Amino acid sequence: MPRTLTRRFVVVLTFALVVLLAAPIMAQDKTKLRMSTPASATDQRSVALEEIFGPAVADFAVYEPHYNSSLIAQGSELESIASGDLEMSIASAQELANFFPEFSIFATGYVHQDAEHQVRVFNDPLMDPFKKKVEDELGVKLLSVMYLGRRHVNLRQSKDELTVMKPADLSGVSLRMPGTDAWQFLGKALGANPTPMAFTEVYTALQTASVDGQDNPLPTVVDAKFYEVTKQIILTSHLVDLNYIAFSKAVWDKLTPEQQATVQKAADAAAESGRQKQLQKEEELVAFLREQGLEIYEPDLKAFREHVQAQYAGSDLAASWPEGVLEKINALGN
Ligand code: KDO
């Protein structure tokens, strides 16, 4: 081999070795952002975070998502962030209400009107004391609001077996709801018998008839394949559901102001993208679900709204809502 070629070969080889050895060191220098969620990898919130948030922060952080509650059980994510075992989650208002009961206002049936209303509420000064409390007392920053969708009642029984037009028709129906008090209250307020259960167990519970039904937005019914084991969807729209992008305050405080701005921008961009995709899916999926043989119909919405609102009025949950906040939320509506 000629001398110059050998020298060039050695130089190239050395450079490649340096790059190979430096890559893991550089990755180690980056902040690890473990995100745990019960959602699947194909859920639009997961997709938006992976496609938009992860790459946007890649210069200084490694985004590491864990789906299907594979890292942390549903409902324990906030505690894990607080104790330093997790950096991010897609947290629900119901989970926050476990720590701060006043968050139940954002988990109350028929309060948020639509996706845009959620964004207006989240960005309004009315949210500042809520966000501050979570930051100060739990060490969690709520970066942005993600749209999950309109929750509807989804049952195993066919419409012939059970037609649901008003809350009384759900009497005796065991409806799986997530495990916190705020969720269980909503299930009862709908007129059903709420059964607490983790999201990852719902498909099997429906398949084996250990519950009569579950409630979730249409994109989730499709993503989790609940349509394979249910026969009808009653379009109750009882909760325009949201999740917050929750971020460790301890990690946030270690970032430079520029990095913090990048994280914030990335979270907002991911939330906006996920929201648009989820809205589009909600529109499209009625046809898909009907093709799968599900019966989909609207009940007496006025009866449901009035019944649900009457259950909250005067409840312990409502007693925890700071004065005037419900009025402010309503004023931000259409
Ligand atoms: C659910 O358990 O029904 C729920 O929809 C609750 C939400 O807050 C959210 O956690 C969601 O599950 C998961 O992300 C799975 O979609």
Side-chain angles (χ1 to χ4, degrees):
M1 205 184 287
R3 230 192 153 106
T4 49
L5 201 63
T6 316
R7 202 172 296 139
R8 196 176 305 148
F9 179 71
V10 170
V11 169
V12 169
L13 190 72
T14 312
F15 181 72
L17 269 173
V18 167
V19 169
L20 266 174
L21 290 172
I25 296 169
M26 275 153 66
Q28 267 170 28
D29 283 352
K30 292 186 180 181
T31 306
K32 196 193 252 195
L33 299 176
R34 289 166 297 177
M35 195 284 293
S36 184
T37 175
S40 71
T42 47
D43 179 295
Q44 291 310 311
R45 293 162 301 162
S46 309
V47 171
L49 282 168
E50 203 163 322
E51 287 182 354
I52 294 172
F53 182 86
V57 301
D59 278 351
F60 55 90
V62 179
Y63 176 64
E64 186 187 290
H66 296 264
Y67 303 116
N68 305 309
S69 300
S70 57
L71 185 62
I72 309 282
Q74 182 176 27
S76 302
E77 298 92 342
L78 289 168
E79 242 169 282
S80 301
I81 297 178
S83 62
D85 296 326
L86 185 69
E87 288 74 41
M88 290 180 71
S89 77
I90 308 177
S92 67
Q94 293 83 348
E95 283 155 7
L96 282 153
N98 267 350
F99 299 90
F100 313 106
E102 62 269 37
F103 264 88
S104 61
I105 197 166
F106 307 115
T108 294
Y110 300 107
V111 165
H112 282 116
Q113 297 175 1
D114 52 33
E116 279 153 31
H117 189 203
Q118 283 179 350
V119 177
R120 283 199 293 277
V121 170
F122 185 76
N123 293 329
D124 193 85
L126 80 85
M127 273 305 289
D128 293 349
F130 288 89
K131 291 175 186 164
K132 186 168 176 348
K133 204 162 181 187
V134 182
E135 237 175 273
D136 294 350
E137 295 180 28
L138 204 58
V140 172
K141 266 187 89 67
L142 303 181
L143 293 180
S144 210
V145 66
M146 292 198 121
Y147 180 67
L148 182 56
R150 291 176 182 274
R151 293 182 88 96
H152 306 296
V153 174
N154 173 209
L155 300 180
R156 282 179 38 251
Q157 291 88 342
S158 70
K159 193 174 177 226
D160 278 349
E161 292 169 295
L162 175 62
T163 304
V164 178
M165 293 309 290
K166 51 192 187 318
D169 300 329
L170 284 175
S171 165
V173 168
S174 72
L175 187 68
R176 174 274 168 181
M177 302 286 280
T180 77
D181 290 350
W183 280 115
Q184 296 296 300
F185 190 96
L186 179 60
K188 244 190 222 137
L190 281 169
N193 272 4
T195 306
M197 188 181 291
F199 181 76
T200 44
E201 288 165 26
V202 179
Y203 184 94
T204 309
L206 291 167
Q207 193 176 36
T208 57
S210 27
V211 289
D212 292 317
Q214 66 89 32
D215 84 304
N216 255 299
L218 301 186
T220 307
V221 171
V222 173
D223 191 59
K225 298 200 165 36
F226 294 151
Y227 63 85
E228 291 178 351
V229 283
T230 55
K231 295 206 177 118
Q232 62 166 312
I233 296 177
I234 306 122
L235 296 170
T236 42
S237 293
H238 52 272
L239 185 68
V240 181
D241 205 9
L242 58 77
N243 291 110
Y244 304 111
I245 301 181
F247 195 91
S248 158
K249 171 88 164 57
V251 172
W252 177 267
D253 288 343
K254 285 194 203 119
L255 299 176
T256 65
E258 293 74 32
Q259 291 170 340
Q260 290 176 348
T262 302
V263 167
Q264 182 61 63
K265 209 170 143 207
D268 289 337
E272 181 55 25
S273 160
R275 183 163 31 251
Q276 294 313 325
K277 290 207 178 129
Q278 203 77 340
L279 283 164
Q280 198 184 326
K281 281 195 172 284
E282 274 185 310
E283 286 239 329
E284 294 166 359
L285 291 177
V286 176
F288 170 81
L289 288 163
R290 285 203 169 118
E291 275 164 30
Q292 307 307 307
L294 271 82
E295 290 166 289
I296 305 181
Y297 59 99
E298 212 170 80
D300 180 347
L301 283 176
K302 188 166 172 282
F304 269 102
R305 191 177 305 110
E306 285 176 2
H307 188 264
V308 167
Q309 286 172 343
Q311 307 302 304
Y312 280 93
S315 68
D316 285 351
L317 288 183
S320 71
W321 302 345
E323 187 121 13
V325 172
L326 184 61
E327 291 71 15
K328 283 186 194 161
I329 295 175
N330 289 339
L332 291 167
N334 299 316

